[in-house]
Amino acid sequence: MQEQERLRRLAELAVSVGANVQPGQLVVINGMVANAPLMREIAREAYRAGAGRVEPQYFDRHFTRALIELGPEESLSQTLPWNLAMLKTLRDERGSFIQVSGDPEPHLLADLPGDKVGKTGQREFRAEWLRMVAERAVNWTIVPAPTPAWAEQVFGRPDMDALWQAVERAIRLDQPDPATAWRAHLARLKRVAGELNDRRFDSLRYRGPGTDLVVGLLPSSRWVGGGDETSFGVSHVGNLPTEEVFTSPDCRRAEGSVRSTMPLEMRGAVVKDLAFEFREGRITKVSASSGDDVVRGELAVDENANRLGEVALVDGSSEVGKLGLTFANTLFDENATCHLAYGAGFGFCVGDEADRAAGLNQSAVHTDFMVGGPEVDVDGRDPSGAWIPILRHNEFQVG
């Protein structure tokens, strides 16, 4: 298949299944300059779907490098007013936001001071975007854009055909009717989420090599999976791919240790062998064989960045996981196995206002890290106090 046709089919999926662009909508497409070919195809597909206006939001990580090397410290997390104005316009107009993920130079920031790399990013912009996600203010999605450098990370060579084939399988573009395949998949995730909600687990326990962690849930924590719906009634799929069911925990209740089971790509750096210790809900110790300074820099962004905002479960039926690849891209790796996220929680995952006020984490950060796999068991404590198996040998025991 020619690359242009691959881009067109991916763009069509992004618009119809991912963001579900509506007639007359304002659509903003965000991505790196190198992602322009896919972004342009998404724009064309969005107009075919009836979009009223489609606008690009390009960024270039070389500007980030220049800022870290040569700019003032106080500018690292500065938010520029026109970017907040864009988010306000999207909110007011009930627009759609499509983010393209595919780094052309994944190691560009790797040789810079990790604490500065971790702090880089428009803090107020990120906080407002996370609020919009939590309040279901826009229909949004994140989609992949294969690049030669990404292929090099995955396969050890810039084999774009191999990467495209892996991406297409992971997002079901290899199916005769991808939209129908997605409907069946999303329905299954909803069933699993429903079963977890019926169990009313008070907490989760993770056990495996280097991991012995208990994470508390709120009384009204609600498991979500299989897509989302905006406050104005538009269904959408936030991540392509998605294989998870997730909720937001009680940010005050996390005790023990956890070791990440996959490398974590963040802001142009790769974090390997990441491990945390938690006490009374906070991360109290960070270690990694590389990139720990980047993590520490991000954890210092605000006072609650070191608390958990998400717990997500993924089993071995994941199309991403079945590929047996490390993608070095969180969009994919978080859908290969179970993950946690430090930073902001999701308001739509907690039904009771008092629970949200008391135990839903608020932060300008939200970073997923992978903690699952065949050697990691996950249990849930039910209302009677009994520990019930949820995942064994990478298979759901519920749903």
Side-chain angles (χ1 to χ4, degrees), residues 128-148:
E128 175 59 19
W129 170 247
L130 289 169
R131 279 192 292 270
M132 289 171 64
V133 170
E135 295 168 11
R136 297 175 166 177
V138 295
N139 42 309
W140 60 277
T141 193
I142 307 174
V143 298
T147 69

Side-chain angles (χ1 to χ4, degrees), residues 354-376:
D355 281 349
R356 289 195 294 271
L360 179 69
N361 203 31
Q362 305 292 329
S363 175
V365 167
H366 182 94
T367 296
D368 300 287
F369 58 99
M370 287 58 74
V371 299
E375 295 182 316
V376 180

Side-chain angles (χ1 to χ4, degrees), residues 76-274:
L76 292 177
S77 59
Q78 180 186 14
T79 295
L80 301 171
W82 50 84
N83 287 322
L84 286 177
M86 182 273 288
L87 289 182
K88 183 179 187 303
T89 301
L90 269 181
R91 182 191 283 272
D92 292 345
E93 297 289 328
R94 293 182 166 181
S96 178
F97 189 82
I98 299 174
Q99 180 179 336
V100 174
S101 173
D103 199 329
E105 297 175 273
H107 301 294
L108 180 63
L109 308 182
D111 63 325
L112 298 179
D115 58 335
K116 287 189 173 184
V117 174
K119 293 175 184 176
T120 301
Q122 299 188 47
R123 178 177 173 181
E124 290 179 52
F125 178 91
R126 291 189 316 205
E128 175 59 19
W129 170 247
L130 289 169
R131 279 192 292 270
M132 289 171 64
V133 170
E135 295 168 11
R136 297 175 166 177
V138 295
N139 42 309
W140 60 277
T141 193
I142 307 174
V143 298
T147 69
W150 185 14
E152 180 87 37
Q153 282 186 292
V154 178
F155 299 106
R157 61 189 188 280
D159 190 336
M160 284 289 284
D161 186 61
L163 181 58
W164 266 109
Q165 288 185 43
V167 165
E168 286 164 343
R169 180 174 169 187
I171 62 175
R172 293 172 169 78
L173 273 178
D174 64 333
Q175 299 293 314
D177 185 346
T180 298
W182 269 98
R183 282 193 291 271
H185 172 58
L186 296 174
R188 175 183 175 271
L189 292 178
K190 288 182 184 295
R191 288 195 299 272
V192 174
E195 175 68 17
L196 290 168
N197 285 324
D198 290 344
R199 299 296 184 102
R200 302 308 312 160
F201 291 124
D202 166 76
S203 52
L204 301 178
R205 181 175 64 189
Y206 298 80
R207 292 179 297 173
T211 292
D212 188 0
L213 178 71
V214 175
V215 179
L217 303 180
L218 291 159
S220 62
S221 289
R222 184 171 69 91
W223 291 91
V224 176
D228 201 356
E229 185 175 296
T230 67
S231 60
F232 47 94
V234 176
S235 61
H236 63 104
V237 180
N239 290 345
L240 294 179
T242 186
E243 301 283 348
E244 64 182 301
V245 291
F246 64 94
T247 191
S248 285
D250 186 337
C251 68
R252 303 163 295 181
R253 298 169 58 206
E255 297 287 337
S257 57
V258 63
R259 189 180 75 183
S260 183
T261 52
M262 300 180 76
L264 172 63
E265 188 282 328
M266 53 186 301
R267 305 188 189 182
V270 178
V271 183
K272 296 181 179 179
D273 304 311
L274 178 64

